[in-house]
Amino acid sequence: MMRNVTTSSSSTRGIAAIVGVGPNLGRSVARKFAHQGYTVAILARDLGRLSRFADEIAREEKAQVYAIRIDCSDTQSVIEAFEGVLSLGFVEVLVYNAYQPIPLQYGGSCNFSDVRLDSFQKSVAVSSVGAFHCAQQVLPGMVERGRGTILFTGCAASLSGGTGLSEICCGKFALRGLSQCLAKEFYPLGVHIAHVIIDGVIGASRVVKVPQRSLVGEQLSIGGDGSMDPDSVAETYWYLHIQPRAAWTQEIDVCPPSPRFS
């Protein structure tokens, strides 16, 4: 199911498809690409909430925004959703930001024997299998045109396992491997594929400004609880998309200032 929210402004660029749009990072990434002149397709399971985000972004950025329902754990849902996305035109940018929340706070503990198989399978499906299907939908068009960007969102669990984190770690480990494999195969064909490690908590608002500049020359904002501002993190996704081909980044770590970097 697809809902179109549009304004009088029309884009001369391709489509930016943002999969896994929630109230923080996904919405900020979608807003950034809309601001830069892209027609944006935002995808998630909750079409009602997604449509509200589309209304907001379209109004603020005077952009064309399409809300499309997707369940990344369901292959047929991914195929149907991207039939709608591809009907809009050439998908120049794919951001895969989907993951399956687990009822466990990071750093907590959980007995492995308590993990349900269906929950484990769904988490792996959303984190990695869904990314596989989404990439397969857009890569043919990118290869045909010799350009395009695919950005996968990872996290600290992409790099290191931990007690009680088998569900998210296995899916995110696989996503990182997928990103590396696709990068090596498609870099020569003009497609930039990168993995973004979000090493910290992304909040909803700016509270504290710190005198540290990001890769794109903007201040990184952190909340009083140490969370990162999603609009600042979204700048990294834009930076990766516009990188010159002669020096593409395959993996980047985004984190708030902390003592371990001092």
Side-chain angles (χ1 to χ4, degrees):
M1 184 180 295
M2 174 169 63
R3 181 166 181 254
N4 176 21
V5 180
T6 184
T7 68
S8 57
S9 175
S10 60
S11 173
T12 58
R13 298 191 174 192
I15 308 299
I18 318 299
V19 180
V21 173
N24 297 329
L25 179 58
R27 180 167 60 169
S28 290
V29 172
R31 183 186 293 113
K32 178 64 181 179
F33 279 88
H35 182 74
Q36 295 295 335
Y38 281 84
T39 294
V40 177
I42 57 176
L43 300 92
R45 281 176 292 191
D46 188 338
L47 186 61
R49 184 174 70 167
L50 204 61
S51 296
R52 292 193 295 273
F53 293 159
D55 286 329
E56 172 192 288
I57 296 168
R59 182 176 62 254
E60 292 176 354
E61 305 299 339
K62 296 181 172 58
Q64 291 184 316
V65 185
Y66 294 81
I68 302 174
R69 186 186 182 280
I70 191 171
D71 180 350
C72 293
S73 68
D74 183 336
T75 299
Q76 189 59 36
S77 176
V78 174
I79 292 172
E80 292 174 357
F82 271 86
E83 286 176 353
V85 174
L86 293 169
S87 72
L88 304 175
F90 165 53
V91 177
E92 183 179 337
V93 182
L94 169 66
V95 176
Y96 193 84
N97 190 53
Y99 77 101
Q100 178 67 20
I102 57 176
L104 177 68
Q105 295 297 318
Y106 187 83
S109 61
C110 176
N111 292 327
F112 177 69
S113 59
D114 293 332
V115 177
R116 299 196 320 271
L117 177 60
D118 61 335
S119 178
F120 181 87
Q121 290 176 324
K122 186 164 187 177
S123 182
V124 172
V126 171
S127 290
S128 56
V129 181
F132 167 85
H133 286 307
C134 290
Q136 279 202 328
Q137 303 304 307
V138 302
L139 275 167
M142 293 178 177
V143 170
E144 180 182 350
R145 292 165 179 80
R147 64 187 176 94
T149 302
I150 298 178
L151 305 175
F152 296 111
T153 299
C155 59
S158 304
L159 305 177
S160 179
T163 300
L165 299 176
S166 59
E167 291 180 61
I168 190 169
C169 284
C170 289
K172 288 297 187 178
F173 268 54
L175 179 65
R176 187 184 188 216
L178 176 67
S179 174
Q180 292 175 357
C181 291
L182 295 184
K184 290 183 178 180
E185 181 173 352
F186 291 98
Y187 270 21
L189 302 178
V191 183
H192 185 189
I193 297 168
H195 182 237
V196 183
I197 300 171
I198 306 298
D199 190 4
V201 176
I202 295 179
S205 63
R206 295 183 180 88
V207 180
V208 178
K209 290 283 190 177
V210 294
Q212 174 169 324
R213 305 191 72 79
S214 70
L215 288 171
V216 288
E218 295 196 3
Q219 282 190 316
L220 176 67
S221 300
I222 59 171
D225 60 354
S227 63
M228 292 181 283
D229 169 53
D231 291 340
S232 295
V233 178
E235 293 289 341
T236 297
Y237 287 75
W238 176 251
Y239 164 77
L240 290 168
H241 174 55
I242 63 173
Q243 272 189 318
R245 184 174 177 178
W248 276 347
T249 295
Q250 199 285 309
E251 186 168 79
I252 193 167
D253 187 296
V254 181
C255 56
S258 67
R260 67 192 180 94
F261 290 109
S262 60

